[in-house]
Amino acid sequence: MMGERTVAQEALFYSFNLERHVPPDHLLRSIDRFVDLSDIREHLRPYYSETGRPSIDPELMIRMLIIGYCMGIRSERRLCDEVHLNLAYRWFCRLGLEGDVPDHSTFSKNRHGRFRDSDLLRQLFEMTVARCMAEGLVGGEGFAVDASLIRADVHRQRSVPGEEGLPPEAVGRAVAEYLDVLDDAAFGGATPVTPKRINLTDPASRWTAATREAAFYAYSTNYLIDLDHAVIVDVEATTSVRQAEVTAQRRMIERTQDRFGIWPERLVADTAYGSAPNLAWLVEEMSIEPHIPVFDKSARTDGSFERADFVYDHDDDSYICPVGNRLRRSNRNFSTPRDRVDKDGSIRYRARQQDCQSCALRQRCTPNMPARKVTRSIHEGARDLARDIATTDAYLVSRRQRKKVEMLFAHLKRILKLDRLRLRGPNGARDEFHLAAAAQNLRKMAKIIPMARPAPA
């Protein structure tokens, strides 16, 4: 006999326990162990009025943002709908069945006001770092640094040539933020080169063709990670140029030392961080071993002698060419000594013209010049140390460990869906990068540290 469904009738009372309906292996249940927002109220108290109508609970908004970035929910409108419908999300937000979900506009109002004024999202990220350290996931012996391009939320056609600059009618919050960071070493002051194009919607985003795809506007998210468990110890938003990424690396290392007292023994990075001034900063000022390939353009493709074919004599401060002649800073004696240091921090060593003209290897050494010149950086000692480290077994291990930061960027874009920014301006990029890095650290702890088994009945 064919059955019929029973028509649901409204009951007078319900007995419903939200705790029982969240699976014990749910990701948010595991993450909840490491979320301590007890200090948020005191941190934000100076930014709230003592009178007036009670506001939306800031802890509720932060918990909702954590859900959004941990679960890859990019829209705040959709996030509000999901929290309204999903029992696990309600449990994480401490809402219960009858709790009201705030409107999506509440996030924008607080983000542009209290959250940024108090630097709350930075504090949230540092809270996750401190908890990772308390759980023993940060060794502090080796760090890795890298940057990744994140598309800006702009239309590529709405732009003007860089040499024209912004038109007078360009206004908006993103434009005001762009003007504020024109002298910042991580944005406008990173390079004197005028950008090829400037976007009118978000001028601080950088027109870049660094990938194989068509050129696009982007920001760079910079990660400094601990190599033990790939915990993100610092994050920085910059414009998408190499000089800004090196500046971000220095800021993150110094900030990590000031905030957490971590002093790594070695830093692992790619060639973009192998410039002579940066290697000297790591070695001479920070006492950090650079496991970094040296950025060197001395190689030649015409078959002539390279700088590596010349031997440097430290005692005499000169180079010896393949036939035994010496190249010196100057072949003349001056009453007032000259340092012979160029503006780019390099020293030129020159051979005597009569030595080169009578040399049998002239065509292989200097076929187009009357005498050979060799340049040497004033930071060549740090470069030599980096070259020596590159011949060790520890360097090979570091090169393999550097892939951990690349994996974090892949996780950021493919799992957390942050391949394109939703907020605009430098402050919007910072907010998104801080929240995403905090979410990655929370997911890392949830994955590595098992939950306690429930006691048997």
Side-chain angles (χ1 to χ4, degrees):
M1 181 175 65
M2 182 181 296
E4 296 182 5
R5 66 182 178 88
T6 303
V7 178
Q9 296 182 354
E10 293 292 335
L12 294 178
F13 302 99
Y14 285 99
S15 176
F16 188 90
N17 188 349
L18 191 58
E19 178 76 23
R20 293 176 53 192
H21 287 74
V22 180
D25 58 346
H26 196 281
L27 176 62
L28 288 180
R29 186 181 286 276
S30 183
I31 287 177
D32 186 64
R33 299 173 294 161
F34 310 109
V35 178
D36 182 10
L37 304 179
S38 57
D39 296 334
I40 280 185
R41 295 181 181 276
E42 291 301 321
H43 183 75
L44 290 176
R45 191 173 299 278
Y47 301 91
Y48 283 89
S49 173
E50 296 294 336
T51 60
R53 187 178 61 181
S55 68
I56 301 295
D57 186 1
E59 181 177 346
L60 170 61
M61 288 188 286
I62 293 299
R63 285 185 173 272
M64 289 180 65
L65 288 174
I66 291 175
I67 291 175
Y69 280 83
C70 285
M71 298 302 183
I73 304 175
R74 301 291 297 131
S75 169
E76 287 173 355
R77 290 176 182 266
R78 183 189 162 205
L79 175 62
C80 292
D81 293 338
E82 292 289 339
V83 173
H84 178 72
L85 296 173
N86 193 300
L87 294 180
Y89 295 174
R90 280 184 169 272
W91 173 85
F92 185 80
C93 292
R94 311 294 193 262
L95 273 179
L97 285 179
E98 298 181 355
D100 294 330
V101 178
D103 188 77
H104 66 88
S105 61
T106 307
F107 293 95
S108 299
K109 181 67 175 177
N110 284 274
R111 181 189 305 112
H112 297 306
R114 301 182 183 95
F115 288 0
R116 287 184 183 170
D117 294 342
S118 64
D119 205 13
L120 178 64
L121 300 183
R122 176 74 197 181
Q123 185 189 24
L124 175 66
F125 165 72
E126 291 184 350
M127 180 270 293
T128 65
V129 180
R131 187 57 187 269
C132 288
M133 295 176 61
E135 298 291 342
L137 302 184
V138 177
E141 296 179 358
F143 283 176
V145 65
D146 205 354
S148 184
L149 298 176
I150 307 295
R151 290 177 179 270
D153 183 32
V154 297
H155 195 289
R156 57 181 299 181
Q157 300 298 330
R158 195 169 186 273
S159 60
V160 296
E163 58 271 9
E164 294 183 6
L166 284 177
E169 61 271 16
V171 293
R173 183 180 289 107
V175 174
E177 292 179 9
Y178 163 73
L179 298 176
D180 290 339
V181 298
L182 280 177
D183 297 329
D184 192 332
F187 287 96
T191 173
V193 178
T194 302
K196 185 176 181 180
R197 302 196 65 82
I198 298 178
N199 192 273
L200 299 178
T201 306
D202 190 354
S205 60
R206 192 82 178 189
W207 178 257
T208 177
T211 66
R212 297 181 181 179
E213 306 174 15
F216 57 92
Y217 291 96
Y219 285 91
S220 286
T221 176
N222 298 263
Y223 277 4
L224 182 69
I225 72 166
D226 183 82
L227 290 175
D228 278 7
H229 293 91
V231 171
I232 305 170
V233 295
D234 209 338
V235 58
E236 182 83 2
T238 65
T239 188
S240 299
V241 296
R242 181 174 59 86
Q243 296 90 329
E245 295 169 3
V246 174
T247 299
Q249 165 233 273
R250 298 188 181 189
R251 288 182 178 179
M252 291 189 293
I253 291 177
E254 291 176 339
R255 187 163 52 206
T256 302
Q257 292 177 351
D258 293 339
R259 180 66 181 85
F260 302 107
I262 304 177
W263 197 287
E265 296 178 0
R266 69 185 190 279
L267 180 70
V268 183
D270 57 22
T271 314
Y273 302 87
S275 62
N278 188 53
L279 293 175
W281 180 81
L282 290 171
V283 174
E284 299 170 5
E285 297 188 27
M286 308 304 292
S287 300
I288 298 175
E289 291 184 1
H291 289 229
I292 305 173
V294 177
F295 187 77
D296 193 351
K297 291 186 176 181
S298 64
R300 295 192 173 189
T301 58
D302 57 359
S304 59
F305 291 134
E306 302 176 356
R307 183 173 59 190
D309 297 318
F310 293 75
V311 179
Y312 181 69
D313 186 348
H314 288 269
D315 296 332
D316 190 60
D317 188 21
S318 62
Y319 276 94
I320 303 175
C321 74
V323 298
N325 295 321
R326 290 188 178 270
L327 289 74
R328 304 182 184 278
R329 296 192 184 192
S330 176
N331 293 310
R332 298 171 55 189
N333 294 325
F334 295 92
S335 56
T336 303
R338 304 181 181 182
D339 57 5
R340 300 287 184 177
V341 179
D342 296 341
K343 293 181 179 179
D344 60 353
S346 61
I347 305 172
R348 297 180 183 273
Y349 292 80
R350 298 174 174 83
R352 296 193 305 171
Q353 186 171 346
Q354 54 268 35
D355 291 339
C356 292
Q357 289 180 347
S358 60
C359 181
L361 300 179
R362 178 181 177 183
Q363 293 302 316
R364 289 193 57 193
C365 185
T366 175
N368 301 320
M369 297 291 293
R372 178 62 190 262
K373 292 184 290 185
V374 173
T375 59
R376 177 181 176 86
S377 172
I378 58 175
H379 307 300
E380 199 67 28
R383 286 158 58 91
D384 289 340
L385 176 61
R387 293 189 184 100
D388 293 340
I389 293 175
T391 62
T392 63
D393 294 336
Y395 180 82
L396 298 178
V397 175
S398 297
R399 303 313 297 167
R400 291 194 296 268
Q401 290 179 326
R402 197 185 70 83
K403 297 179 181 179
K404 293 182 179 182
V405 67
E406 300 289 353
M407 295 171 64
L408 283 172
F409 289 139
H411 180 269
L412 176 72
K413 297 178 181 180
R414 300 191 63 179
I415 306 301
L416 304 188
K417 311 298 183 184
L418 189 58
D419 55 347
R420 182 187 180 96
L421 290 172
R422 186 175 51 82
L423 307 180
R424 293 171 179 169
N427 288 332
R430 291 191 188 101
D431 290 348
E432 292 223 59
F433 295 161
H434 281 141
L435 283 168
Q440 287 184 293
N441 281 346
L442 289 172
R443 289 176 64 110
K444 176 75 65 177
M445 287 187 284
K447 178 181 179 181
I448 295 177
I449 303 174
M451 294 187 64
R453 294 184 179 181

